[in-house]
Structure formats: structure tokens, C-alpha cells
Amino acid sequence: MYVPNQRHCWICGTEYKYCEKCDPLHSWKTMACSRLHYQIVMILDEWRNRVISAKEATEKFKNVGITFDSDFSEYLPEVAELIKKIISEGTVTVPSIKSKDKNAK
């Protein structure tokens, strides 16, 4: 008899069971306890591997309901800090340079 593996979510640290033989269509469970946490894993992975910028990651976080003001208490502290860092970098606006008015003296 096959016994499911005990896993720990990379985002919140929750322990959960996953059986790759019983649930082959849910391979996301190899890393996360929920689909949302798997989406977070993927966003962080893309950002770390420089596939997306902090601005793009911030937009992706926003699309799954995560902003700088979100409640991060369910996440591991290092994950929460990293997400906040990325969002902070991704929301920095660069002041635009206005062209000088030709009629200005």
C-alpha cells in the first residue's frame, strides 16, 4: 500500500499530504498546499530567475489579490518580507521628464 508523502508548503509552512499516484493532475501540490500558494511560488520563481521584473511581479501579485497592505500573517516570515520587497520595488514610480516649453524664458 502506498502512503502519501508529507509535504510542507513553501509559502506558509503548513504540513499536508500529497500522493503523486492518487492525484497526478495536481502536481502543484509538490510545492504548495493550495493553488493560490502555488501561484505565489511561480511568481517568486519567475522573479528570482529574472523572467519578470518587480513591476510585472507586482502586477501578478495584484491579480491574485496580494498588495503591500495585504495580511501576510499566514505566510512564512521570509516569504512575506520578499513579497513586500518585490511590491515595494515594483511600485516605485520614476518621475517623468517634461520637455521644456519652447516659449519659456
Side-chain angles (χ1 to χ4, degrees):
M1 181 174 154
Y2 182 77
V3 179
N5 293 325
Q6 292 290 82
R7 305 257 181 193
H8 286 89
C9 179
W10 294 6
I11 301 303
C12 68
T14 299
E15 186 175 13
Y16 63 96
K17 292 180 182 178
Y18 170 63
C19 175
E20 62 271 356
K21 291 183 180 183
C22 302
D23 210 1
L25 297 177
H26 295 108
S27 61
W28 54 267
K29 288 185 177 180
T30 60
M31 295 176 239
C33 65
S34 70
R35 290 176 191 233
L36 172 61
H37 287 189
Y38 178 71
Q39 287 177 297
I40 295 169
V41 168
M42 293 292 93
I43 295 167
L44 293 173
D45 190 48
E46 288 179 331
W47 176 79
R48 280 188 191 110
N49 290 311
R50 299 180 184 185
V51 174
I52 60 174
S53 67
K55 184 175 181 178
E56 291 167 314
T58 299
E59 189 61 32
K60 287 186 176 206
F61 284 131
K62 184 178 175 185
N63 290 340
V64 296
I66 300 172
T67 65
F68 190 83
D69 297 325
S70 293
D71 178 13
F72 292 93
S73 62
E74 75 175 77
Y75 303 144
L76 294 168
E78 58 272 19
V79 172
E81 289 303 314
L82 181 57
I83 293 171
K84 288 178 186 178
K85 175 183 180 265
I86 294 168
I87 292 173
S88 292
E89 290 175 10
T91 55
V92 172
T93 56
V94 178
S96 62
I97 301 171
K98 295 182 180 181
S99 61
K100 292 184 178 182
D101 186 346
K102 293 180 182 177
N103 295 329
K105 294 182 181 179

